[in-house]
Amino acid sequence: VQLVESGGGLVQAGGSLELSCSASTQTFSSYDMGWFRQAPGKEREFVAAINWSGGITLYADSVKGRFTVSRDNRKDTVYLEMSSLKTEDRAVYYCAAGTSISKGPREYDYWGQGTKVNVSA
């Protein structure tokens, strides 16, 4: 499974951005998907996750109420809509695919290369 993120860029604090992650697999709908991020000098951290059907979502406390994860199984794509962005959201964002929805990165088997999000003050 190959995952390709897109949609990163520069945005002002308080602004919005939507990330996409496209998967190259015909079994996308069988995977649970996660979003993680890694800021410079910090460990990779969980952001959000969505189960195979879209019926279950998980969020990190730091993004709850500001970020929304969704998926379109017809397009083999998962999205992360980010609003009210803060400078502390600045990081490289990665999507990941696995067979168990989880906040832990070890539960995910496939990872994208990441897309950079920069939030200016």
Side-chain angles (χ1 to χ4, degrees), residues 37-58:
R37 66 186 181 186
Q38 188 166 19
K42 295 187 177 181
E43 292 188 354
R44 191 169 297 189
E45 65 173 0
F46 170 76
V47 176
I50 187 167
N51 79 323
W52 64 273
S53 69
I56 300 173
T57 56
L58 302 174

Side-chain angles (χ1 to χ4, degrees), residues 34-109:
W35 285 98
F36 292 78
R37 66 186 181 186
Q38 188 166 19
K42 295 187 177 181
E43 292 188 354
R44 191 169 297 189
E45 65 173 0
F46 170 76
V47 176
I50 187 167
N51 79 323
W52 64 273
S53 69
I56 300 173
T57 56
L58 302 174
Y59 294 95
D61 288 343
S62 59
V63 307
K64 203 171 290 183
R66 300 188 299 122
F67 290 12
T68 302
V69 60
S70 62
R71 66 189 297 161
D72 186 341
N73 287 343
R74 297 167 300 175
K75 297 182 179 180
D76 297 339
T77 301
V78 61
Y79 305 94
L80 184 68
E81 185 175 352
M82 307 183 293
S83 62
S84 301
L85 282 161
K86 305 175 182 180
T87 55
E88 49 262 47
D89 295 319
R90 185 185 306 157
V92 176
Y93 283 71
Y94 300 88
C95 70
T99 56
S100 178
I101 185 172
S102 172
K103 295 183 178 181
R106 294 184 178 181
E107 299 297 322
Y108 295 88
D109 303 309

Side-chain angles (χ1 to χ4, degrees), residues 3-64:
L3 303 173
V4 179
E5 302 94 337
S6 61
L10 174 64
V11 63
Q12 284 189 326
S16 300
L17 208 58
E18 183 178 67
L19 306 183
S20 300
C21 172
S22 297
S24 63
T25 174
Q26 293 182 341
T27 58
F28 176 74
S29 61
S30 67
Y31 287 98
D32 298 321
M33 301 297 295
W35 285 98
F36 292 78
R37 66 186 181 186
Q38 188 166 19
K42 295 187 177 181
E43 292 188 354
R44 191 169 297 189
E45 65 173 0
F46 170 76
V47 176
I50 187 167
N51 79 323
W52 64 273
S53 69
I56 300 173
T57 56
L58 302 174
Y59 294 95
D61 288 343
S62 59
V63 307
K64 203 171 290 183

